[in-house]
Amino acid sequence: MMADMPHWVPPQKPDLMQQIREMEEREKQRNSRTQTNNTNTTKGMNPLEFFTNYAVKD
């Protein structure tokens, strides 16, 4: 009867490399979203391009 008794098995924790891969994948998905010209503030954008985009054109 003891062999039939249910027992709790803790979930397996991901190793360090798997955590890094998951974080990179999330970052890739976050940065790959297409954004409109009004909200073009993607991470890693060149500051010159950012300010040129919003500068007043004479």
Side-chain angles (χ1 to χ4, degrees):
M1 284 178 44
M2 291 299 286
D4 294 332
M5 189 170 90
H7 65 282
W8 181 75
V9 178
Q12 191 177 37
K13 292 184 179 179
D15 63 345
L16 183 61
M17 290 307 293
Q18 187 176 2
Q19 288 177 347
I20 291 172
R21 276 186 246 115
E22 289 173 0
M23 287 172 43
E24 288 174 345
E25 184 63 31
R26 277 184 269 160
E27 187 70 23
K28 212 182 297 182
Q29 289 175 356
R30 192 177 303 130
N31 287 337
S32 69
R33 292 184 186 151
T34 56
Q35 298 179 353
T36 63
N37 287 338
N38 293 340
T39 58
N40 192 8
T41 57
T42 58
K43 184 175 181 180
M45 177 182 240
N46 184 356
L48 181 61
E49 290 176 20
F50 178 80
F51 289 112
T52 305
N53 189 24
Y54 292 105
V56 177
K57 308 223 173 164
D58 292 327

